[in-house]
Every structure is written in C-alpha cells, then in structure tokens.
Amino acid sequence: MIHSHRAFSHLVHAMGEESFDDDQLRHAAWIARCAGRGPTAPLNLGEFTELADRVEIGPLAAGTLVFSAGAPADGVWMVKQGRVELSVGSERGRTVVDVLRPGDVDGDIALLLGMPLAYTARTLTEASCMFLPASAFEALLANDPAIARRWFSSVAQRVSAGQGRLINMLGRPLPTQVAQLLLDEAVDGSVHLAQRTLAAMLGVQRPSLTKTLKEFERHDLISIDDDTISIIDAERLRRLESAH
C-alpha cells in the first residue's frame, strides 16, 4: 500500500483559472456527465478495494484540492466516502458542474483520450478517495481482459448516454429541454447545479432559463433555493418532457 502522503503529494499543484467562457463551461458540464456512477461505473467499491496493491488510498479534509482543470490526466479517481465538487473558474468565481459521490469514477475517459482534465475537483466534505495511477490502470487493462471489457463497455455506455441526451434535446421547445435536463440531473429529488451551468448545457442565455424555471415554480413543478432546484412534481415534469 502506498502511504497517503505519497499518494496525494501531487494535489498541491493547482492550475488556477481566472476566467472562463460559456463554451468552456458547457464542455466541462457535458464531460462531467460522463463520470462513471451507479450501473455505469466500471468497478464497484469492493472490486476496487481488492486492487489495494495498485490503488493509492487517502483521507482528505473538506476543501482539499483533488485535481486541477487543465492538468494532464495521470490516473483514475474513485470516491470511497464523502462528496467531491467538480467546478470551473477560480475560487471566487467558480461554477459547479457536478458532484461526485461514493462509488463514482472519474478521470478514465480523459486518460484514455489523452485529454487534459476539464474541471477542478475539490472535496466538499471529509472524504476518502482511491487513485489508480496511469501505469497501474494500463497494466490492469492489459492483464485482466474481463475488467478491460467491462471498463470499455462502461465508457461506451457513458458516452452513448451523453450523446443520447443531446440528440433528445435537439429541436425541442425550451420548457421540454429544461424538464428533461432537470429529471436527468436530479439526485434524490434535487438538482445541485448553478443556473449558469444549466443554461450553458442547454446553449441558451441564462435569462431564458430563469424565465422557464420561474414558470415551473409558479406551477408547483419545482422550488428554487439558491443553487438548488427541488423537484416537487416529477410526474408532471416527465409528461412535459415526453410531450414532444
């Protein structure tokens, strides 16, 4: 087992973004949709724990930088406990694009494609994360065909699901698009994404999104509190989403 101070020594490196535009935000938000979670995660927590000889594990205090936007992907991360916030922008002007929870896997697609990381990850709570370095990840795929097959199947499912979401939104009225996005992004009945993020994902101006959300709220479909949107009537939203 690699000691946690070695495992996370590279976390102190930060590539601070002072500003970003909506195109960067949109890119980061859609890439975040491709994180492995639930049934699309390539490994479960038990299987990852079995790889203890190749996995670096360490406890992280709330607010700890995990990785930085623009840095090269150097391995695969899995959240064992706690929550990890994904965001773009500097500390004062950051916008959240997603939150990783226990069992979620990130970094594998960027690593496989040789892409820089699209967002910064920072722990929201005290957390425990497991890190599979690039060399160990490559060795795992090369030496275990069953895991390699499942991992690539997981990646394909996630990319396909993201493409499907985009196709389903094309040419549809904005209220229908917003309803679909809220249903897709809800976790335990709530969407914890800033309206700027949601607007960027839909490719619309924020005032247009705000107007639609206020209309939903007026009809008791949702309630809005800061950057949290709670779904009150999922069934009516679902009917609206499937109406076109």
Side-chain angles (χ1 to χ4, degrees):
M1 179 70 63
I2 301 177
H3 297 299
S4 60
H5 73 274
R6 288 182 57 197
F8 295 94
S9 62
H10 64 293
L11 299 185
V12 297
H13 174 68
M15 297 178 63
E17 315 158 76
E18 294 303 319
S19 63
F20 60 95
D21 58 28
D22 282 348
D23 285 341
Q24 291 170 296
L25 177 57
R26 183 179 303 112
H27 171 72
W30 281 108
I31 289 293
R33 303 284 78 70
C34 291
R37 58 184 75 230
T40 66
L43 301 177
N44 60 43
L45 284 171
E47 290 171 321
F48 232 98
T49 302
E50 291 175 6
L51 300 172
D53 58 332
R54 285 175 278 186
V55 174
E56 302 175 355
I57 304 176
L60 301 172
T64 300
L65 177 69
V66 180
F67 55 76
S68 298
D74 58 354
V76 179
W77 292 91
M78 186 173 189
V79 181
K80 187 175 182 182
Q81 293 178 333
R83 292 182 296 154
V84 177
E85 177 187 87
L86 308 179
S87 66
V88 294
S90 62
E91 182 63 27
R92 293 179 60 186
R94 76 183 188 280
T95 298
V96 177
V97 296
D98 206 354
V99 175
L100 300 180
R101 292 170 172 79
D104 290 353
V105 175
D106 204 355
D108 55 341
I109 291 180
L111 180 60
L112 289 167
L113 296 180
M115 296 168 50
L117 296 163
Y119 33 70
T120 292
R122 193 179 298 273
T123 54
L124 269 178
T125 64
E126 184 175 328
S128 176
C129 295
M130 296 183 284
F131 178 70
L132 190 64
S135 57
F137 177 63
E138 292 171 2
L140 175 65
L141 297 184
N143 297 327
D144 194 323
I147 287 182
R149 183 166 53 252
R150 195 188 322 165
W151 208 300
F152 288 127
S153 175
S154 165
V155 170
Q157 289 176 36
R158 287 179 264 157
V159 173
S160 177
Q163 182 186 37
R165 292 190 194 104
L166 287 171
I167 291 173
N168 287 337
M169 289 182 180
L170 291 176
R172 307 177 86 184
L174 181 58
T176 303
Q177 294 185 46
V178 174
Q180 178 184 331
L181 187 61
L182 294 179
L183 291 169
D184 285 345
E185 298 307 317
V187 176
D188 296 328
S190 296
V191 178
H192 302 282
L193 291 176
Q195 290 188 28
R196 181 180 179 185
T197 302
L198 296 173
M201 292 174 71
L202 294 169
V204 301
Q205 295 297 314
R206 181 172 172 177
S208 298
L209 172 69
T210 300
K211 180 180 178 180
T212 300
L213 292 175
K214 289 295 184 184
E215 190 69 12
F216 284 4
E217 189 173 42
R218 188 171 70 84
H219 286 87
D220 296 322
L221 298 174
I222 63 173
S223 64
I224 303 172
D225 181 18
D226 295 327
D227 283 342
T228 298
I229 300 172
S230 299
I231 294 178
I232 297 174
D233 196 332
E235 185 55 37
R236 287 169 62 202
L237 269 182
R238 201 167 287 112
R239 288 201 299 267
L240 178 61
E241 183 272 333
S242 61
H244 295 272

